[in-house]
Amino acid sequence: MNDPIPVTRTTDHGTAKLMPDVDRERAWLLTVDGAPQSYVDLDEPTHLEFEYTRRLGHVLDVVAEPGRALDVAHLGGGALTLPRYVAVTRPGSRQDVVEADRGLLELVSGHLPLPEGADIALHTADARVWLEHAPAASADVLLADVFSGSRVPAHLTSVAYVREAARVLRGHGVYLANLPDAAPFAFLRSQLATLATAFEELVLIAEPGVLRGRRFGNAVLVAGHQPVDVAALARLTAADAFPARVEHGAGLREFIGDARPVGDADAVPSPVPPDGAFGIG
């Protein structure tokens, strides 16, 4: 059992810290350079503390019948919150986790053990390089939650990257991404337009306050070739402590407007978050 005291490491890409939650036994918060990155409850892996993580969990719950094992590739490791969630909610799933920061992976895997019997392979690699070498039609779900500092790297935002994602997914597969933005949503709109070059079905999940331009925040994007159960997603997200809106169809096309797909040559990272946007307290 872990000693419930903070653990700090200088990793390949920053300073990572694991801090115990005084209110939940064997629960830990991971911060990187002071910004909250992941939350894990070792006794209850289905507890998703962060709002955007719960929304990703809701999508994972509705992409296939409950309990069915899936092949899932996670781009971005953090504290392995969602791989743990899938291992418990969909036993027998085969999962790959790609994280560029070897030191972070070693810290997390050394102090926060994975659920017993979980089939989770950890890879130290750049997300796009790994994706380009992954077998075609090898994943049911591809989940992208990659940040360099507080920004999504530019090379994970282009048409070429999205085509690789589509290649790795099976025909029924689903692509999920956690992306931050604020009004007027130039980045988010361009990312939706970029995903539309490879996927027919798009869904956007975000807090009403973010969509109304009141604050900077995370949005979850869902893309695939087949319709997602939007009604089930809407019910799940509406029941959260901080409800979210689920946009699709005509409303989402209106949101995208005249935004253009992004090529490698003009790709940019996600916007710099305002001070305090992702801070603690």
Side-chain angles (χ1 to χ4, degrees), residues 15-129:
T15 299
K17 187 172 185 178
L18 288 172
M19 294 184 289
D21 186 339
V22 296
D23 296 320
R24 297 177 72 96
E25 189 176 356
R26 301 186 76 225
W28 297 81
L29 172 70
L30 169 68
T31 66
V32 177
D33 293 334
Q37 212 279 348
S38 301
Y39 182 99
V40 168
D41 187 331
L42 296 177
D43 290 331
E44 192 180 346
T46 57
H47 175 76
L48 302 178
E49 181 76 10
F50 293 170
E51 296 161 27
Y52 83 87
T53 311
R54 286 198 297 277
R55 290 164 195 154
L56 289 167
H58 293 327
V59 181
L60 289 167
D61 288 343
V62 306
V63 295
E65 56 269 26
R68 177 185 151 198
L70 298 173
D71 292 335
V72 184
H74 303 260
L75 305 181
L80 310 177
T81 303
L82 288 168
R84 299 170 197 272
Y85 182 83
V86 171
V88 172
T89 60
R90 297 184 176 277
S93 292
R94 181 185 61 82
Q95 302 187 76
D96 290 288
V97 178
V98 184
E99 170 59 57
D101 192 330
R102 181 184 300 275
L104 179 61
L105 270 185
E106 292 174 349
L107 171 68
V108 169
S109 59
H111 286 81
L112 306 179
L114 291 168
E116 186 174 352
D119 183 1
I120 301 174
L122 306 180
H123 310 271
T124 302
D126 173 82
R128 180 158 164 183
V129 171

Side-chain angles (χ1 to χ4, degrees), residues 158-169:
S158 70
V159 169
Y161 161 76
V162 166
R163 287 176 179 164
E164 287 299 321
R167 181 187 64 82
V168 170
L169 283 168

Side-chain angles (χ1 to χ4, degrees), residues 123-149:
H123 310 271
T124 302
D126 173 82
R128 180 158 164 183
V129 171
W130 184 90
L131 197 62
E132 289 169 347
H133 290 86
S138 58
D140 300 307
V141 177
L142 179 60
L143 196 160
D145 188 14
V146 183
F147 285 77
S148 177

